[in-house]
Amino acid sequence: MKNLVNNTKNKYCHKLFSFLEISTDGSCWICCPAWLPEKIGNILTDDFQEIWNGEVSQNLRNQVYTGDWCYCNHDLCPYIVSDSLPLLEDINNDRFLTDYSKDAIKKNKVILEEMPTSIHFSEDRSCNLYCPSCRLEKILLSRESAEYIQKKKINDKICEIFLKTPTDRKFEIYVTGSGDPFASVIYREMLENINGHDFPNLIINLNTNGVMFTSKMWKKLEKIQHNLHNCRISFDAGTKETYENKTRLGGNWELLIENCRYLNERSKEISNFNIHFDFVVQKDNYKEMKTYIELILENFDNASSIHFSKLNDWNTWDKKQFDEHAIWKIEHPEFNLFLNILKDDIFNHPKVYLGNLSVYKQR
């Protein structure tokens, strides 16, 4: 999978020692599937220890020690693209790793006695929006459907492993990288039923489009409000026109802004509750990148960060359609216009992160 020459020698990735993502069929991954497309097992059919410490997981962790990161996608991983993988010599400063994991890496271990500390729920694709780059129609599972029953089975298995028995273990969950946590009946009920007192060191991170994260929904999360840490809200536009008609079909711009203002104030009341704003760049919205930054800075004074990233190919479009939207490809007819936009000083703002687009800013 390596297709760019990057300096990965004597570096490491914390995800290989802490991360677990479970996708729509129960498949498990040790990193974001787009960045590291190697399954490590299936939660419905495999023993969890075989998943976490099986041969595939061991091979992926071994990349750190050999320095040959041949399994990773060097085009998409933002750490590799931006040359920001941390040095092994700096591992003691890593805030993502436990002391156990740091010691395991120092000793070149590939089998871990410690459970993953970063669990990503991605089995349910339910969402109140139907963004063209992601899906052709709105996906909302009803309780009676066979697909709901399957996804619920996967979710129950994850919860049985990580969220059934009260513990003071430090770990975090991410809900969700596949849809919206509040549009999903499965995720919404799971979040409402977690008792933060049973998991005092549990960190809950939310990935949402923000439209259903209303003040009413906030109140329903009363038992876990102090467990909330990072909330990523996807905008993918800088104007109502683009948001509602091109990038976030089914969305409501005014409601999104209203909800974000409400959450901005709540983030001032609860320590460690951080709001991050996301923008996936493509042909339909790249001209609004600056407008989006200005919008966030002017309206949400407690925003923690403003992120950009490349559009992923989710096989929703055919290759021709995807290439038409992949504005960062050098052969794209508007590629130079895209580079010109990145010259603006606003992209140097300390809250702005270009992620896997940073190489184009350098260019």
Side-chain angles (χ1 to χ4, degrees):
M1 184 58 66
K2 182 159 62 175
N3 42 30
L4 288 177
V5 177
N6 290 286
N7 181 17
T8 53
K9 296 287 185 181
N10 300 315
K11 296 184 177 181
Y12 72 96
C13 176
H14 65 85
K15 288 181 178 291
L16 303 176
F17 301 85
S18 63
F19 181 102
L20 177 72
E21 179 166 343
I22 304 92
S23 61
T24 53
D25 63 351
S27 293
C28 298
W29 312 80
I30 207 168
C31 182
C32 170
W35 305 348
L36 181 52
E38 289 285 332
K39 289 191 291 187
I40 61 172
N42 189 292
I43 202 163
L44 291 178
T45 59
D46 303 325
D47 176 77
F48 185 73
Q49 279 305 318
E50 263 306 304
I51 296 172
W52 186 235
N53 283 316
E55 182 178 355
V56 178
S57 294
Q58 293 182 47
N59 290 338
L60 297 180
R61 292 181 186 125
N62 200 48
Q63 292 182 117
V64 171
Y65 313 128
T66 64
D68 181 17
W69 299 62
C70 57
Y71 295 98
C72 299
N73 189 319
H74 289 220
D75 277 332
L76 290 180
C77 172
Y79 300 103
I80 295 178
V81 171
S82 61
D83 194 25
S84 58
L85 282 172
L87 293 168
L88 282 166
E89 63 187 48
D90 296 328
I91 196 168
N92 285 336
N93 300 322
D94 196 311
R95 63 188 178 87
F96 296 106
L97 291 175
T98 63
D99 289 341
Y100 172 85
S101 294
K102 292 174 184 177
D103 187 62
I105 295 172
K106 291 175 185 177
K107 294 178 179 177
N108 290 13
K109 287 187 176 182
V110 293
I111 295 177
L112 307 178
E113 296 175 12
E114 185 177 73
M115 297 273 277
T117 54
S118 180
I119 300 97
H120 295 240
F121 290 74
S122 295
E123 72 273 14
D124 186 0
R125 298 186 68 217
S126 292
C127 189
N128 50 308
L129 307 185
Y130 54 109
C131 308
S133 60
C134 177
R135 59 197 69 198
L136 299 175
E137 58 186 6
K138 192 175 293 186
I139 299 174
L140 291 171
L141 302 183
S142 66
R143 295 179 188 274
E144 297 76 24
S145 68
E147 189 173 359
Y148 172 90
I149 293 171
Q150 185 215 27
K151 308 308 181 195
K152 184 67 165 60
K153 185 177 180 181
I154 295 171
N155 186 263
D156 288 346
K157 184 70 174 178
I158 305 170
C159 291
E160 180 183 347
I161 297 172
F162 298 105
L163 294 170
K164 181 180 179 180
T165 305
T167 178
D168 61 357
R169 183 174 86 95
K170 294 181 179 180
F171 69 107
E172 57 187 329
I173 63 174
Y174 289 77
V175 191
T176 169
S178 59
D180 188 87
F182 306 114
S184 163
V185 175
I186 293 173
Y187 293 146
R188 191 169 65 242
E189 292 184 349
M190 177 186 75
L191 291 170
E192 291 175 8
N193 289 328
I194 296 174
N195 189 334
H197 293 296
D198 291 339
F199 302 94
N201 293 314
L202 168 65
I203 290 173
I204 299 175
N205 303 290
L206 301 173
N207 281 24
T208 173
N209 57 57
V211 176
M212 294 183 69
F213 203 172
T214 61
S215 58
K216 183 177 179 180
M217 185 64 69
W218 172 262
K219 292 176 177 63
K220 289 185 177 181
L221 302 181
E222 182 179 8
K223 292 188 293 185
I224 57 169
Q225 286 176 0
H226 289 275
N227 295 91
L228 296 177
H229 186 52
N230 291 314
C231 178
R232 309 199 70 89
I233 301 177
S234 53
F235 264 63
D236 292 2
T239 66
K240 172 184 172 69
E241 170 65 23
T242 298
Y243 180 85
E244 293 187 353
N245 297 291
K246 293 182 179 179
T247 60
R248 312 296 282 170
L249 301 185
N252 183 315
W253 180 257
E254 286 80 12
L255 182 57
L256 171 66
I257 300 299
E258 177 187 337
N259 291 346
C260 289
R261 285 186 175 136
Y262 178 82
L263 294 170
N264 183 71
E265 297 308 306
R266 301 292 77 73
S267 70
K268 297 175 183 178
E269 299 168 355
I270 297 181
S271 61
N272 298 320
F273 178 44
N274 306 298
I275 309 293
H276 307 270
F277 296 92
D278 288 343
F279 188 112
V280 177
V281 177
Q282 55 162 298
K283 179 185 176 183
D284 287 337
N285 63 13
Y286 80 96
K287 293 179 181 178
E288 297 182 4
M289 294 171 72
K290 179 181 177 180
T291 304
Y292 155 73
I293 296 173
E294 292 172 338
L295 172 79
I296 302 303
L297 293 176
E298 291 172 7
N299 287 275
F300 316 119
D301 63 335
N302 209 40
S304 292
S305 64
I306 304 169
H307 280 254
F308 292 94
S309 63
K310 286 181 180 179
L311 176 74
N312 278 335
D313 186 357
W314 301 116
N315 297 316
T316 306
W317 290 321
D318 59 31
K319 184 180 185 303
K320 181 181 178 182
Q321 289 174 308
F322 181 79
D323 287 344
E324 287 175 354
H325 287 82
I327 191 69
W328 58 87
K329 290 192 174 185
I330 194 168
E331 62 271 18
H332 196 285
E334 297 179 43
F335 176 71
N336 286 326
L337 293 175
F338 164 64
L339 290 186
N340 197 51
I341 284 174
L342 293 177
K343 293 178 181 178
D344 198 287
D345 283 344
I346 200 167
F347 291 97
N348 296 320
H349 192 281
K351 287 189 176 183
V352 173
Y353 296 86
L354 284 170
N356 55 20
L357 290 169
S358 58
V359 64
Y360 302 101
K361 174 66 174 172
Q362 296 164 12
R363 184 168 178 150

